[in-house]
Amino acid sequence: MLAGKRIVLGVTGGIAAYKAVEVCRRLVDAGAHVVPVMTAGAEHFIGRTTLSALASEPVQTSLWDEASPIPHTRLGQSADLVLVVPATARLLAAYAAGLSTDLLTNTLLATRAPVIVCPAMHTEMWEHPAVQANVATLRARGVHIVEPESGRLAGGDVGAGRLAAPERIVEAVARVLDAGPLAGLHVVVSAGGTREPIDAVRVIANRSSGKQGYAIAAEAAARGARVSLVTTVDLPVPAGAQVHAVETAAQMQEAIEQLAASADIIVMAAAVADFRPVAAAAGKLKKDQGTPQIVLEPTPDILAGLGERKRPGQVLVGFAAETSDLLANAAAKLTRKHLDLIVANDVSAPGVGFQHDTNAVTLLRADGSVRTIPLADKRSIAQAVLDTVDDIRGT
Ligand code: PMT
């Protein structure tokens, strides 16, 4: 995925420096040529030998200990990308202010390559207005920021500031370098269950958690696609995906139809309500008004509409959530909605479908071929779905 790409990996002095080792390994595994640069602070946390052993070149730490008199310009000019993992508050401040205090900050100022910084620090520091202002300055200059996550921090505290997971960082590198197999493609994914209002407080909903849709969005972004995620749920946004929050089937239809005009691949993993109340009561229905008679009407079939207007070359993927006659029902939907692929899941089976972290699916293609994926985590299911989409596209 990153073959031939030269990446300068800057490591600064935070406890998360040990995770830079894993990032380095993953970049090298993906084919990148990794040139590590450590700050003096980083050496308090990890040894040079560890990074040197995994990277493509020995670690560099100083402006003065190289044969080359100007190592920073050589590093900056030859890089396809400069990545800083972790980026401390000091590094962010120096870079935002244009201060060249060491080899890494000199390299950052001497490069025209894209730069990704991955901040990690304690919550209080991350939320400090000075740090946030520096991040905003860097972002406004076009620096890519892989935001830290919330979770357990050094010393047992819990909060925002934990370094993003190594796989998210490597995904960001692939995305910025436009290096994945889906680079240049626009993928639209729907996720979650729609909510149809009965009155001001009540809705008709379903059990979809959005996990399967988010896994597909994350995998598509990791493969280099521009991803639009139309969602009814509020899960952590996969790096690189643009979220469009919706609630009802009508809102989902409007968002998806707009995005479909430029979509190369559309994956409808959402559980869209088939019926909605004809009219939602303006206020809250009261018990003393008697049992309400809720009249339902069918919602628009978003996927069927997309199938009718499919552009040449566009790949349309639906899901089928079934509790009986899995293959027959899914095949009927594949044909009726003019799909290229339908992902059938028997949601009555243990660990399958709604809310679980796992799924088991059968992939039915318009050309009649069938592939079964036994119970696996939803990211693995997403990989199988996108591998099949690749096949359909003939890539
Ligand atoms: O979200 P999770 O908890 O991770 O669970 C995942 C899942 C079970 C929701 C997912 O794997 C799944 O099966 N999604 C589709 C659920 C569904 O609505 O299936 P369906 O058989 O009713 O619909 C068939 C297809 O038509 C789906 O792609 C659906 O998005 C689409 N549809 C349905 C109705 C409608 N009005 N418009 C649509 O576009």
Side-chain angles (χ1 to χ4, degrees):
M1 189 160 80
L2 298 173
K5 299 294 182 191
R6 190 177 166 86
I7 296 173
V8 171
L9 172 61
V11 184
T12 69
I15 181 66
Y18 77 95
K19 292 190 189 164
V21 175
E22 174 65 9
V23 171
C24 177
R25 189 190 63 76
R26 284 174 182 252
L27 291 172
V28 169
D29 285 354
H33 183 100
V34 179
V35 184
V37 173
M38 285 169 65
T39 63
E43 293 198 73
H44 290 289
F45 293 93
I46 55 170
R48 292 184 196 200
T49 322
T50 317
L51 264 186
S52 290
L54 290 167
S56 319
E57 291 185 14
V59 168
Q60 297 182 48
T61 54
S62 161
L63 279 162
W64 316 113
D65 62 5
E66 256 228 352
S68 157
I70 43 172
H72 55 294
T73 49
R74 190 182 55 74
L75 285 170
Q77 286 166 355
S78 63
D80 290 304
L81 183 136
V82 181
L83 171 69
V84 185
V85 184
T88 55
R90 183 198 67 81
L91 183 283
L92 295 171
Y95 188 23
L99 272 178
S100 53
T101 52
D102 55 16
L103 180 58
L104 180 58
T105 44
N106 273 274
T107 303
L108 285 165
L109 296 178
T111 192
R112 293 197 173 137
V115 174
I116 302 179
V117 296
C118 309
M121 60 200 75
H122 247 70
T123 309
E124 293 82 351
M125 292 174 75
W126 172 242
E127 291 176 351
H128 193 286
V131 173
Q132 287 301 310
N134 289 331
V135 169
T137 300
L138 294 174
R139 194 176 265 129
R141 287 182 193 149
V143 173
H144 302 270
I145 312 288
V146 178
E147 296 256 343
E149 298 172 351
S150 279
R152 212 172 170 73
L153 303 166
D157 293 342
V158 176
R162 190 173 69 174
L163 184 73
E167 59 268 28
R168 267 188 66 207
I169 295 172
V170 176
E171 285 168 15
V173 170
R175 204 172 48 256
V176 170
L177 289 174
D178 232 11
L182 297 182
L185 299 183
H186 181 200
V187 177
V188 176
V189 182
S190 69
T194 60
R195 289 187 293 276
E196 311 298 330
I198 295 171
D199 64 9
V201 299
R202 301 178 180 92
V203 293
I204 297 179
N206 63 64
R207 297 183 194 281
S208 172
S209 64
K211 288 178 191 172
Q212 184 63 79
Y214 273 64
I216 290 169
E219 183 61 26
R223 294 179 182 211
R226 173 163 80 86
V227 176
S228 302
L229 176 58
V230 180
T231 175
T232 64
V233 296
D234 189 15
L235 295 177
V237 179
Q242 168 106 38
V243 163
H244 302 258
V246 296
E247 187 167 339
T248 64
Q251 290 167 359
M252 183 171 277
Q253 180 185 31
E254 191 185 341
I256 287 184
E257 286 185 352
Q258 265 183 25
L259 294 163
S262 61
D264 300 288
I265 300 163
I266 304 176
V267 184
M268 282 290 293
V272 185
D274 287 319
F275 300 98
R276 66 184 168 206
V278 170
K284 181 183 174 189
L285 291 169
K286 296 284 181 208
K287 269 194 277 190
D288 54 14
Q289 290 169 333
T291 307
Q293 301 298 310
I294 300 169
V295 182
L296 300 178
E297 64 179 3
T299 55
D301 191 321
I302 304 170
L303 194 52
L306 295 172
E308 277 161 23
R309 293 186 295 279
K310 191 154 77 83
R311 289 186 291 109
Q314 193 175 58
V315 177
L316 202 51
V317 182
F319 270 71
E322 307 294 342
T323 51
S324 62
D325 297 330
L326 179 70
L327 297 188
N329 286 335
K333 287 176 185 169
L334 175 78
T335 310
R336 181 161 48 81
K337 302 193 189 203
H338 306 290
L339 309 179
D340 299 289
L341 172 66
I342 194 150
V343 184
N345 37 195
D346 175 354
V347 295
S348 63
V352 175
F354 294 99
Q355 293 176 339
H356 301 290
D357 291 330
T358 50
N359 208 351
V361 299
T362 304
L363 306 175
L364 287 83
R365 284 171 59 169
D367 68 3
S369 54
V370 175
R371 181 178 167 207
T372 297
I373 317 291
L375 198 68
D377 61 86
K378 283 184 171 166
R379 184 68 181 250
S380 303
I381 300 292
Q383 285 163 358
V385 170
L386 291 179
D387 286 348
T388 308
V389 169
D390 261 1
D391 240 37
I392 293 169
R393 287 174 45 80
T395 53

